[in-house]
Amino acid sequence: MKYILVTGGVISGIGKGIIASSIGTILKSCGLRVTAIKIDPYINIDAGTFSPYEHGEVFVLNDGGEVDLDLGNYERFLDINLYKDNNITTGKIYQHVINKERHGDYLGKTVQVVPHITDAVQEWVMNQAKVPVDDDKKEPQICVIELGGTIGDIEGMPFVEAFRQFQFKAKRENFCNIHVSLVPQPNATGEQKTKPTQNSVRALRGLGLSPDLIVCRSAKPIEMAVKEKISMFCHVEPEQVIFIHDVSSTYRVPILLEEQGIIKYFKQRLNLPIDDQPSDLLMKWKKMACRYERLLKVCSIALVGKYTKLSDCYASVFKALEHSALAINYKLDLMYIDSTELERSTEAENSVKYHQAWHKLCKADGILVPGGFGIRGTEGKLQAISWARAKKKPFLGVCLGMQLAVVEFARNCLNWEDANSTEFDPDTKNPVVIDMPEHNPGDMGGTMRLGKRRTVFKTENSVLKKLYGDEMFVEERHRHRYEVNPELTHCFEEKGLKFVGHDTEGNRMEIIELENHPYFVGVQFHPEFSSRPMKPSPPYLGLLLAATGTLKAYLQRGCKLSP
């Protein structure tokens, strides 16, 4: 097993996740089996109870793990399926060690950060690195490990110490450290500054790790003189300094790395049994990156949500839309609309914001209402759904988006004026969305219906069934506490809102479709978590096809994309 540790310096959010994913993609393109681990030094057990404004979206895995969004990057880039133990947190490690202490495993010993915590980290990494993540179920050959945060953070120290020890345990030819740093360019001088990188590498060396590669992030391409300066002051060869400037799309990053000789370096440094040239997989990435940059036709989608100030809050939704747009040769114009700005209360408080939000919604080719929790902004989402239904605009509702589509239909088509979800109004007379019987209202962490579940189609006459290739069932990832009330579904079906998919028992409603509408679809699951650059998610692809007026032709062709 070969281990590649990716650390970061100067600032967080520098792009370590994309660089780690890109390195994995390059190695996979050379015919190697690659897995990935993300270490988050926070004390939370997992990401499940975070606000999206803390670390971006919560990504859900097949096994129900609620993890950091970087694991979504790994899955999309490497086309693998990870597990919750591929996300290590300080909370998980300490809980593991404390449970062992309570069990008596350290009887008579003082339990300390060194060696007990550091040993637990190393043991976890070695065990998880062996777990198969590809469809062929073979053991991986390379494990890419990303250490979150920046070197020097107090909470990351036990992990840095663990890898300082681990480099000797794994042996030099099996362990490699890549340090990602920032090369800022102040506007006042326009000069690219190397001092932050020098200080970051010095701090890393002081903690016992020497970088094999220094990846320099910058806004603009870095000059050769800067490369030579970093090489000299950071005690590495010039070919060990890699530049990654801001690019038009993340698909370009693996290509930038490959062009700077990273395959040849890894082959020599880790003694890998590979050719110097990448395979067809990286050629596909190159073609995809070139195609992305040449797109001319534009499709605009309005994303109506409550966490619109930070794009990472809907990272997987954005990627799923982007994959689908790319598949049909359209450039995606994603317009984020804060759902509260569509509400009547905003019109009274700030009429400019209100009218701007509605202008965005009205000019969009399609409307998407993603998942979420809490009552804030729900009335604005209901307004957007009502407009999409009445004006026959292509619409996709995901998780809460589907539940609100049911609430909107009940209010405006069934004339149940107080119809609501018990999440927002526990005393409503028409509870069209209810909490699930197994939902535990006590603990918040890990108590939802999580992970991959089967959805069975109950009718042949379904747009989504055709988009999924006429499969009898699909398996998608879930994350919800509430569901459509199964006792009231017949009332909706009589008026044209069809529940075309349900769970294996037939009790839980999973997919809705509205009759006599170009594309009005709601799904209880989160299809965005399974979307891949070369395999777009069918519900999102359907939305883009409907928004560009090509859905009918696509279905007539037997769900084949035109060349």
Side-chain angles (χ1 to χ4, degrees):
M1 176 67 69
K2 309 288 183 183
Y3 301 92
I4 297 172
L5 174 67
V6 180
T7 55
V10 187
I11 58 169
S12 59
I14 202 170
K16 294 190 301 296
I18 296 293
I19 287 163
S21 305
S22 299
I23 287 163
T25 302
I26 289 168
L27 294 170
K28 186 167 183 175
S29 78
C30 295
L32 297 166
R33 293 186 299 279
V34 183
T35 186
I37 292 173
K38 172 72 191 291
I39 297 173
D40 285 302
Y42 46 66
I43 295 172
N44 304 60
I45 298 296
D46 60 28
T49 55
F50 281 141
S51 158
Y53 283 138
E54 289 288 311
H55 295 273
E57 74 170 4
V58 177
F59 191 81
V60 179
L61 303 170
N62 279 346
D63 65 355
E66 295 172 287
V67 296
D68 185 82
L69 61 81
D70 273 321
L71 276 84
N73 286 324
Y74 306 154
E75 287 205 345
R76 284 187 287 269
F77 271 72
L78 297 166
D79 195 16
I80 54 178
N81 290 306
L82 297 170
Y83 301 90
K84 56 181 151 193
D85 284 346
N86 286 81
N87 192 193
I88 301 173
T89 68
T90 296
K92 278 183 185 176
I93 293 293
Y94 273 79
Q95 188 180 58
H96 174 72
V97 170
I98 289 166
N99 287 344
K100 285 179 79 173
E101 187 274 329
R102 293 290 82 188
H103 191 253
D105 291 10
Y106 307 121
L107 215 53
K109 295 274 195 319
T110 303
V111 182
Q112 295 174 288
V113 173
V114 180
H116 301 101
I117 296 295
T118 53
D119 283 354
V121 172
Q122 294 172 63
E123 184 186 316
W124 194 305
V125 166
M126 286 190 291
N127 290 339
Q128 199 57 32
K130 295 174 187 169
V131 176
V133 290
D134 283 308
D135 292 337
D136 62 10
K137 301 296 177 193
K138 288 182 180 175
E139 188 176 306
Q141 296 162 291
I142 292 193
C143 180
V144 180
I145 306 152
E146 181 194 344
L147 176 57
T150 54
I151 290 300
D153 292 347
I154 194 166
E155 61 263 38
M157 290 298 186
F159 295 103
V160 177
E161 172 59 22
F163 285 107
R164 185 196 67 77
Q165 298 170 20
F166 185 69
Q167 65 186 330
F168 302 110
K169 190 182 285 187
K171 302 286 187 289
R172 177 173 162 75
E173 66 272 16
N174 298 322
F175 182 85
C176 174
N177 176 214
I178 296 171
H179 189 60
V180 184
S181 184
L182 178 71
V183 177
Q185 192 169 4
N187 289 333
T189 62
E191 185 187 358
Q192 292 172 328
K193 296 293 186 182
T194 64
K195 193 63 74 181
T197 297
Q198 292 176 42
N199 290 337
S200 179
V201 170
R202 190 181 299 119
L204 183 64
R205 281 220 169 87
L207 295 168
L209 285 170
S210 287
D212 295 286
L213 287 174
I214 300 172
V215 178
C216 299
R217 288 279 294 109
S218 61
K220 294 174 183 173
I222 292 175
E223 295 150 16
M224 190 52 67
V226 176
K227 180 174 187 166
E228 287 165 359
K229 192 173 180 182
I230 290 169
S231 164
M232 183 168 65
F233 284 104
C234 295
H235 197 61
V236 293
E237 295 284 346
E239 56 267 26
Q240 291 172 265
V241 181
I242 307 283
F243 301 154
I244 303 291
H245 58 272
D246 292 350
V247 285
S248 57
S249 83
T250 52
Y251 307 129
R252 186 58 69 185
V253 179
I255 297 149
L256 278 177
L257 288 167
E258 188 262 330
E259 284 170 352
Q260 294 178 66
I262 204 167
I263 295 175
K264 187 179 176 184
Y265 179 80
F266 279 135
K267 183 183 177 180
Q268 293 169 347
R269 174 67 181 78
L270 295 173
N271 195 21
L272 297 174
I274 56 174
D275 296 326
D276 285 352
Q277 295 302 314
S279 68
D280 294 342
L281 179 62
L282 206 60
M283 290 306 295
K284 284 181 183 174
W285 275 86
K286 281 184 181 177
K287 285 177 186 170
M288 187 166 61
C290 291
R291 198 153 57 87
Y292 180 88
E293 286 158 8
R294 287 200 305 263
L295 295 172
L296 297 173
K297 294 181 286 185
V298 178
C299 177
S300 60
I301 300 294
L303 187 153
V304 183
K306 60 191 277 192
Y307 307 113
T308 54
K309 291 183 181 71
L310 182 67
S311 60
D312 270 357
C313 296
Y314 299 111
S316 291
V317 170
F318 170 68
K319 286 296 175 187
L321 288 167
E322 191 179 66
H323 299 161
S324 298
L326 188 58
I328 61 170
N329 295 312
Y330 271 80
K331 196 181 185 79
L332 175 68
D333 174 21
L334 185 58
M335 300 183 289
Y336 292 96
I337 300 174
D338 187 333
S339 55
T340 56
E341 292 176 5
L342 297 171
E343 295 175 0
R344 287 285 180 195
S345 56
T346 303
E347 187 181 21
E349 293 165 15
N350 190 333
S351 61
V352 174
K353 261 189 182 176
Y354 174 80
H355 290 294
Q356 282 175 344
W358 272 101
H359 177 68
K360 271 191 196 175
L361 188 77
C362 294
K363 74 175 185 180
D365 299 315
I367 296 167
L368 170 70
V369 177
F373 298 92
I375 193 167
R376 183 175 71 82
T378 51
E379 287 304 317
K381 291 175 185 176
L382 287 166
Q383 293 281 342
I385 293 165
S386 181
W387 193 84
R389 179 183 56 77
K391 300 292 181 185
K392 296 198 182 299
K393 277 277 181 188
F395 165 80
L396 175 63
V398 175
C399 196
L400 177 64
M402 168 188 151
Q403 294 171 6
L404 290 177
V406 171
V407 171
E408 187 279 329
F409 194 87
R411 288 183 185 179
N412 296 321
C413 298
L414 302 182
N415 297 318
W416 299 350
E417 289 180 12
D418 76 330
N420 215 330
S421 164
T422 55
E423 180 181 4
F424 313 127
D425 181 5
D427 303 318
T428 176
K429 290 176 184 163
N430 291 297
V432 293
V433 177
I434 56 172
D435 57 341
M436 292 182 287
E438 68 270 36
H439 163 48
N440 175 6
D443 288 343
M444 296 295 282
T447 55
M448 289 182 271
R449 182 170 178 248
L450 291 162
K452 188 164 81 169
R453 311 279 176 137
R454 182 169 290 189
T455 295
V456 181
F457 288 104
K458 66 173 193 177
T459 174
E460 293 296 317
N461 188 25
S462 158
V463 173
L464 218 48
K465 186 176 192 294
K466 289 170 186 163
L467 287 165
Y468 272 105
D470 272 324
E471 297 287 345
M472 298 302 293
F473 62 85
V474 293
E475 291 184 326
E476 294 279 11
R477 301 175 188 184
H478 293 68
R479 185 178 185 243
H480 63 113
R481 283 195 178 92
Y482 294 82
E483 63 173 341
V484 174
N485 190 341
E487 292 176 10
L488 301 176
T489 53
H490 63 279
C491 303
F492 293 91
E493 299 229 329
E494 286 166 9
K495 291 283 187 178
L497 188 69
K498 303 293 183 183
F499 294 89
V500 299
H502 49 64
D503 69 346
T504 47
E505 282 77 42
N507 300 325
R508 206 152 266 155
M509 301 303 119
E510 293 278 0
I511 303 170
I512 60 165
E513 290 179 12
L514 182 62
E515 288 181 341
N516 303 317
H517 193 286
Y519 191 81
F520 191 95
V521 172
V523 290
Q524 185 58 72
F525 45 83
H526 287 267
E528 63 270 18
F529 294 142
S530 308
S531 183
R532 303 286 184 264
M534 296 171 203
K535 288 186 280 184
S537 164
Y540 285 91
L541 182 61
L543 176 65
L544 266 292
L545 287 163
T548 55
T550 54
L551 178 60
K552 200 178 230 180
Y554 177 78
L555 296 174
Q556 285 170 351
R557 285 196 304 270
C559 293
K560 288 184 175 66
L561 292 167
S562 58

